[in-house]
Amino acid sequence: MPADNPADLVILDLMMPREDAATTFQRLRQRRPNVPVLICTGLPQAEPAPELLRQPGVSLIRKPFRMNELWYAVKQLLTARKE
């Protein structure tokens, strides 16, 4: 993530081709410890990646999702960040 163009929120998929989500999450937290993270997954597990979901500023959305569900999840994370 370029330092001169910081993101307000990161959407992170659990299943990525080159690096697992936990590693990416840890690298992200090193660079931007307070950026909210929305984890998305299509995995059927009851609670995928519980170690990530216990972190502050992290939420989960399940695929497939509707645009209004994505909008709501993003809004919730960004609102909580300001509180």
Side-chain angles (χ1 to χ4, degrees):
M1 178 179 311
D4 60 338
N5 190 13
D8 292 325
L9 179 134
V10 172
I11 299 175
L12 178 63
D13 199 317
L14 277 183
M15 302 296 289
M16 298 184 299
R18 295 191 190 132
E19 187 171 80
D20 65 86
T23 301
T24 301
F25 180 83
Q26 292 306 320
R27 292 172 68 186
L28 174 63
R29 281 293 191 235
Q30 289 173 356
R31 294 183 77 178
R32 297 282 311 281
N34 297 319
V35 70
V37 177
L38 179 59
I39 296 174
C40 62
T41 184
L43 296 173
Q45 299 161 318
E47 187 178 329
E51 69 282 357
L52 299 182
L53 294 173
R54 284 192 289 267
Q55 301 291 320
V58 176
S59 189
L60 175 74
I61 190 167
R62 293 192 180 275
K63 297 187 280 185
F65 49 81
R66 297 183 187 275
M67 193 54 68
N68 63 328
E69 293 169 319
L70 177 61
W71 173 253
Y72 180 77
V74 167
K75 183 178 175 185
Q76 292 292 83
L77 277 170
L78 293 177
T79 300
R81 177 181 170 186
K82 294 177 183 178
E83 294 176 352

